[in-house]
Coordinates of all heavy atoms in Angstrom, one line a residue:
D35 N -3.2 26.6 1.3 CA -2.0 27.3 1.8 C -0.9 26.4 2.0 O -0.4 25.8 1.1 CB -2.4 28.0 3.1 CG -3.4 29.1 2.9 OD1 -3.4 29.7 1.8 OD2 -4.3 29.4 3.8
I36 N -0.5 26.2 3.2 CA 0.6 25.3 3.5 C 0.1 23.9 3.9 O -0.9 23.8 4.7 CB 1.5 25.9 4.6 CG1 2.1 27.2 4.1 CG2 2.6 24.9 5.0 CD1 2.9 27.9 5.1
Q37 N 0.6 22.8 3.4 CA 0.2 21.5 3.7 C 1.3 20.7 4.3 O 2.5 20.8 4.0 CB -0.3 20.8 2.4 CG -1.3 21.6 1.7 CD -1.5 21.1 0.2 OE1 -1.1 20.0 -0.1 NE2 -2.2 21.9 -0.6
Y38 N 0.9 19.8 5.2 CA 1.9 19.0 6.0 C 1.5 17.5 5.8 O 0.3 17.2 6.0 CB 1.9 19.4 7.5 CG 2.3 20.8 7.7 CD1 1.3 21.8 7.8 CD2 3.6 21.2 7.7 CE1 1.6 23.1 8.0 CE2 3.9 22.5 7.9 CZ 2.9 23.5 8.1 OH 3.2 24.8 8.2
A39 N 2.4 16.6 5.6 CA 2.1 15.2 5.4 C 3.4 14.4 5.5 O 4.5 14.9 5.6 CB 1.4 15.0 4.1
Q40 N 3.2 13.1 5.4 CA 4.3 12.1 5.3 C 3.8 11.0 4.4 O 2.7 10.5 4.6 CB 4.6 11.5 6.7 CG 5.8 10.6 6.6 CD 6.2 10.0 8.0 OE1 5.5 10.2 8.9 NE2 7.4 9.4 8.0
S41 N 4.6 10.6 3.4 CA 4.3 9.6 2.5 C 5.0 8.3 2.9 O 6.1 8.3 3.4 CB 4.7 10.0 1.1 OG 4.0 11.1 0.7
S42 N 4.4 7.2 2.6 CA 5.0 5.9 2.9 C 4.5 4.8 2.0 O 3.5 4.9 1.3 CB 4.6 5.4 4.3 OG 5.0 6.4 5.3
V43 N 5.3 3.7 1.9 CA 5.0 2.5 1.2 C 5.0 1.4 2.2 O 6.0 1.2 2.9 CB 5.9 2.2 0.0 CG1 5.6 0.9 -0.7 CG2 5.9 3.3 -1.0
F44 N 3.9 0.7 2.3 CA 3.8 -0.4 3.3 C 3.7 -1.8 2.7 O 3.2 -1.9 1.5 CB 2.6 -0.2 4.2 CG 2.6 1.1 5.0 CD1 1.8 2.2 4.6 CD2 3.4 1.2 6.1 CE1 1.9 3.3 5.3 CE2 3.4 2.4 6.8 CZ 2.7 3.4 6.4
S45 N 4.1 -2.8 3.4 CA 4.0 -4.2 2.9 C 3.1 -5.0 3.9 O 2.8 -4.5 5.0 CB 5.4 -4.8 2.8 OG 5.9 -5.0 4.1
P46 N 2.8 -6.2 3.5 CA 2.1 -7.1 4.5 C 3.1 -7.3 5.7 O 4.3 -7.3 5.5 CB 1.9 -8.4 3.8 CG 1.8 -8.0 2.4 CD 2.8 -6.8 2.2
S47 N 2.6 -7.4 6.9 CA 3.5 -7.7 8.0 C 3.5 -9.2 8.2 O 2.9 -9.8 9.1 CB 2.9 -7.0 9.3 OG 3.7 -7.2 10.4
D48 N 4.3 -9.8 7.4 CA 4.4 -11.3 7.4 C 5.8 -11.7 6.9 O 6.7 -10.9 6.7 CB 3.3 -11.8 6.4 CG 2.9 -13.3 6.8 OD1 3.7 -14.0 7.5 OD2 1.8 -13.7 6.3
F49 N 6.0 -13.0 6.8 CA 7.3 -13.5 6.3 C 7.7 -12.8 5.0 O 6.8 -12.4 4.2 CB 7.3 -15.0 6.1 CG 7.0 -15.8 7.3 CD1 5.8 -16.5 7.4 CD2 7.8 -15.8 8.4 CE1 5.5 -17.2 8.5 CE2 7.5 -16.5 9.5 CZ 6.4 -17.2 9.6
Y50 N 9.0 -12.8 4.6 CA 9.5 -12.2 3.4 C 9.5 -10.7 3.3 O 9.9 -10.1 2.4 CB 8.8 -12.8 2.2 CG 8.5 -14.2 2.2 CD1 7.3 -14.8 2.2 CD2 9.6 -15.1 2.2 CE1 7.1 -16.1 2.2 CE2 9.4 -16.5 2.2 CZ 8.2 -17.0 2.2 OH 8.0 -18.3 2.2
F51 N 8.9 -10.0 4.3 CA 8.7 -8.6 4.3 C 9.3 -8.0 5.6 O 9.5 -8.7 6.6 CB 7.3 -8.1 4.1 CG 6.7 -8.5 2.8 CD1 6.0 -9.6 2.6 CD2 7.0 -7.7 1.7 CE1 5.5 -10.0 1.3 CE2 6.5 -8.0 0.4 CZ 5.7 -9.2 0.3
P52 N 9.5 -6.7 5.7 CA 10.0 -6.1 6.9 C 9.1 -6.3 8.1 O 7.9 -6.3 7.9 CB 10.1 -4.6 6.6 CG 10.2 -4.5 5.1 CD 9.4 -5.7 4.6
H53 N 9.7 -6.5 9.3 CA 8.9 -6.8 10.5 C 7.9 -5.7 10.8 O 6.8 -5.9 11.2 CB 9.8 -7.0 11.6 CG 9.1 -7.2 12.9 ND1 8.4 -8.4 13.2 CD2 8.9 -6.4 14.0 CE1 7.9 -8.3 14.4 NE2 8.2 -7.1 14.9
D54 N 8.3 -4.4 10.6 CA 7.4 -3.3 10.9 C 6.5 -2.9 9.7 O 5.7 -2.0 9.8 CB 8.2 -2.1 11.3 CG 9.1 -1.6 10.3 OD1 9.2 -2.2 9.2 OD2 9.8 -0.6 10.6
A55 N 6.6 -3.7 8.6 CA 5.7 -3.5 7.4 C 6.0 -2.2 6.7 O 5.2 -1.8 5.9 CB 4.2 -3.7 7.7
I56 N 7.1 -1.5 6.9 CA 7.4 -0.3 6.2 C 8.5 -0.6 5.2 O 9.6 -0.9 5.6 CB 7.8 0.8 7.2 CG1 6.7 1.1 8.2 CG2 8.3 2.1 6.5 CD1 7.2 2.0 9.4
I57 N 8.2 -0.4 3.9 CA 9.2 -0.5 2.9 C 10.0 0.7 2.7 O 11.2 0.7 2.6 CB 8.5 -1.0 1.6 CG1 7.9 -2.4 1.7 CG2 9.5 -0.9 0.4 CD1 7.2 -2.9 0.5
S58 N 9.3 1.9 2.7 CA 9.9 3.2 2.6 C 9.0 4.2 3.2 O 7.8 4.1 3.2 CB 10.2 3.5 1.1 OG 10.8 4.7 0.9
E59 N 9.6 5.3 3.7 CA 8.9 6.4 4.2 C 9.7 7.7 4.1 O 10.9 7.6 4.1 CB 8.4 6.2 5.7 CG 9.5 6.1 6.7 CD 9.0 5.8 8.1 OE1 7.8 6.1 8.4 OE2 9.8 5.4 8.9
S60 N 9.0 8.7 3.9 CA 9.6 10.0 3.7 C 9.8 10.7 5.1 O 9.2 10.3 6.1 CB 8.8 10.9 2.8 OG 7.6 11.2 3.4
V61 N 10.5 11.8 5.1 CA 10.7 12.6 6.3 C 9.4 13.4 6.4 O 9.0 14.0 5.5 CB 11.9 13.5 6.1 CG1 12.1 14.4 7.3 CG2 13.2 12.7 5.9
P62 N 8.8 13.4 7.6 CA 7.6 14.2 7.8 C 7.8 15.7 7.4 O 8.8 16.3 7.8 CB 7.2 14.0 9.2 CG 8.0 12.8 9.7 CD 9.2 12.8 8.8
N63 N 6.8 16.2 6.7 CA 6.7 17.7 6.5 C 7.9 18.2 5.7 O 8.3 19.3 5.9 CB 6.5 18.5 7.7 CG 5.3 18.0 8.5 OD1 4.3 17.6 7.9 ND2 5.3 18.0 9.8
T64 N 8.4 17.4 4.8 CA 9.6 17.8 4.0 C 9.3 17.5 2.5 O 8.9 16.4 2.2 CB 10.8 17.0 4.4 OG1 11.1 17.2 5.8 CG2 12.0 17.4 3.6
E65 N 9.5 18.5 1.7 CA 9.3 18.3 0.2 C 10.5 17.4 -0.3 O 11.6 17.7 -0.1 CB 9.3 19.6 -0.5 CG 8.1 20.5 -0.1 CD 8.1 21.7 -0.9 OE1 8.4 21.7 -2.1 OE2 7.7 22.8 -0.3
M66 N 10.1 16.2 -0.8 CA 11.1 15.3 -1.3 C 10.5 14.3 -2.2 O 9.3 14.1 -2.3 CB 11.8 14.6 -0.1 CG 10.9 13.7 0.8 SD 11.6 13.0 2.2 CE 12.9 11.9 1.5
L67 N 11.4 13.5 -2.9 CA 10.9 12.4 -3.7 C 11.3 11.1 -2.9 O 12.3 11.0 -2.2 CB 11.7 12.3 -5.0 CG 11.4 13.4 -6.0 CD1 12.3 13.3 -7.2 CD2 9.9 13.3 -6.5
M68 N 10.4 10.1 -3.1 CA 10.6 8.8 -2.4 C 10.5 7.7 -3.4 O 9.6 7.7 -4.2 CB 9.6 8.7 -1.3 CG 9.7 7.4 -0.5 SD 8.5 7.2 0.8 CE 7.1 6.8 -0.3
F69 N 11.4 6.7 -3.3 CA 11.3 5.6 -4.2 C 11.2 4.3 -3.4 O 11.7 4.2 -2.2 CB 12.6 5.5 -5.0 CG 12.7 6.7 -6.0 CD1 13.4 7.8 -5.6 CD2 12.2 6.6 -7.2 CE1 13.6 8.9 -6.4 CE2 12.3 7.7 -8.1 CZ 13.0 8.8 -7.7
A70 N 10.6 3.3 -3.9 CA 10.5 2.0 -3.2 C 10.4 0.9 -4.3 O 9.7 1.1 -5.3 CB 9.2 1.9 -2.3
D71 N 11.1 -0.2 -4.1 CA 11.0 -1.4 -4.9 C 10.0 -2.3 -4.3 O 10.1 -2.7 -3.1 CB 12.4 -2.0 -5.1 CG 13.3 -1.2 -5.9 OD1 12.9 -0.5 -6.8 OD2 14.5 -1.2 -5.6
V72 N 9.1 -2.8 -5.1 CA 8.1 -3.8 -4.6 C 8.3 -5.1 -5.4 O 8.2 -5.1 -6.6 CB 6.6 -3.3 -4.8 CG1 5.6 -4.3 -4.3 CG2 6.5 -2.0 -4.0
D73 N 8.6 -6.2 -4.7 CA 8.9 -7.4 -5.4 C 7.5 -8.2 -5.5 O 7.0 -8.8 -4.5 CB 9.9 -8.2 -4.6 CG 10.4 -9.5 -5.3 OD1 9.8 -9.9 -6.3 OD2 11.4 -10.1 -4.8
L74 N 7.0 -8.3 -6.7 CA 5.7 -9.0 -6.8 C 5.8 -10.5 -6.6 O 4.8 -11.1 -6.3 CB 5.1 -8.6 -8.2 CG 4.8 -7.2 -8.5 CD1 4.3 -7.0 -9.9 CD2 3.8 -6.7 -7.4
E75 N 7.0 -11.0 -6.9 CA 7.2 -12.5 -6.6 C 7.0 -12.8 -5.1 O 6.5 -13.8 -4.8 CB 8.5 -12.9 -7.2 CG 8.6 -12.9 -8.7 CD 7.6 -13.7 -9.4 OE1 7.3 -14.9 -8.9 OE2 7.0 -13.3 -10.3
K76 N 7.5 -11.9 -4.3 CA 7.3 -12.1 -2.8 C 5.9 -12.1 -2.5 O 5.4 -12.9 -1.6 CB 8.1 -11.1 -2.0 CG 9.6 -11.3 -2.0 CD 10.2 -10.2 -1.1 CE 11.7 -10.4 -1.0 NZ 12.3 -9.4 -0.2
L77 N 5.1 -11.2 -3.1 CA 3.6 -11.2 -2.8 C 3.0 -12.5 -3.2 O 2.1 -13.0 -2.5 CB 3.0 -10.0 -3.5 CG 3.2 -8.6 -2.9 CD1 2.7 -7.5 -3.8 CD2 2.6 -8.6 -1.5
K78 N 3.4 -13.0 -4.4 CA 2.8 -14.3 -4.9 C 3.2 -15.4 -3.9 O 2.3 -16.3 -3.6 CB 3.3 -14.6 -6.3 CG 2.7 -13.7 -7.3 CD 3.3 -14.0 -8.7 CE 2.9 -13.0 -9.7 NZ 3.5 -13.3 -11.0
L79 N 4.4 -15.4 -3.5 CA 4.8 -16.4 -2.5 C 4.1 -16.3 -1.2 O 3.7 -17.3 -0.6 CB 6.3 -16.3 -2.3 CG 7.0 -17.4 -1.5 CD1 6.9 -18.7 -2.1 CD2 8.5 -17.0 -1.3
L80 N 3.8 -15.1 -0.8 CA 3.1 -14.9 0.5 C 1.6 -15.4 0.4 O 1.1 -15.9 1.3 CB 3.1 -13.4 0.8 CG 2.4 -13.0 2.1 CD1 3.2 -13.5 3.3 CD2 2.3 -11.5 2.2
H81 N 1.0 -15.2 -0.8 CA -0.3 -15.7 -1.0 C -0.4 -17.3 -0.9 O -1.4 -17.8 -0.4 CB -0.9 -15.3 -2.4 CG -1.3 -13.9 -2.4 ND1 -2.5 -13.4 -1.8 CD2 -0.7 -12.8 -3.0 CE1 -2.6 -12.2 -2.0 NE2 -1.5 -11.8 -2.7
R82 N 0.7 -17.9 -1.2 CA 0.7 -19.4 -1.2 C 1.2 -19.9 0.2 O 0.7 -20.9 0.7 CB 1.7 -20.0 -2.2 CG 1.2 -19.9 -3.6 CD 2.0 -20.7 -4.6 NE 3.4 -20.4 -4.5 CZ 4.1 -19.5 -5.2 NH1 3.5 -18.8 -6.1 NH2 5.4 -19.3 -5.0
E83 N 2.2 -19.2 0.8 CA 2.8 -19.8 2.0 C 2.8 -18.9 3.2 O 3.5 -19.2 4.2 CB 4.3 -20.1 1.7 CG 4.5 -21.1 0.5 CD 5.9 -21.3 0.1 OE1 6.8 -20.7 0.8 OE2 6.2 -21.9 -0.8
G84 N 2.1 -17.8 3.2 CA 2.1 -16.8 4.3 C 1.4 -17.4 5.5 O 0.7 -18.4 5.5
S85 N 1.5 -16.7 6.6 CA 0.9 -17.2 7.9 C -0.6 -16.8 7.8 O -1.4 -17.5 8.5 CB 1.5 -16.5 9.1 OG 1.4 -15.1 9.0
V86 N -1.0 -15.9 7.0 CA -2.5 -15.6 6.8 C -2.8 -15.7 5.3 O -2.2 -15.1 4.5 CB -2.8 -14.1 7.2 CG1 -4.2 -13.8 7.0 CG2 -2.5 -13.9 8.7
T87 N -3.7 -16.6 5.0 CA -4.0 -16.9 3.6 C -5.4 -16.5 3.3 O -6.3 -17.3 3.3 CB -3.8 -18.4 3.3 OG1 -4.5 -19.2 4.3 CG2 -2.3 -18.8 3.3

Side-chain angles (χ1 to χ4, degrees):
D35 294 328
I36 297 177
Q37 303 167 16
Y38 301 96
Q40 181 177 15
S41 300
S42 301
V43 176
F44 299 104
S45 69
S47 181
D48 205 339
F49 299 116
Y50 315 115
F51 293 99
H53 177 71
D54 60 359
I56 300 172
I57 293 178
S58 181
E59 63 183 340
S60 66
V61 177
N63 304 327
T64 304
E65 296 182 36
M66 62 184 298
L67 292 174
M68 182 183 73
F69 296 91
D71 292 326
V72 178
D73 189 348
L74 297 179
E75 292 303 316
K76 284 183 179 180
L77 284 173
K78 290 177 186 176
L79 187 60
L80 183 68
H81 284 287
R82 289 192 310 267
E83 301 176 5
S85 61
V86 177
T87 52

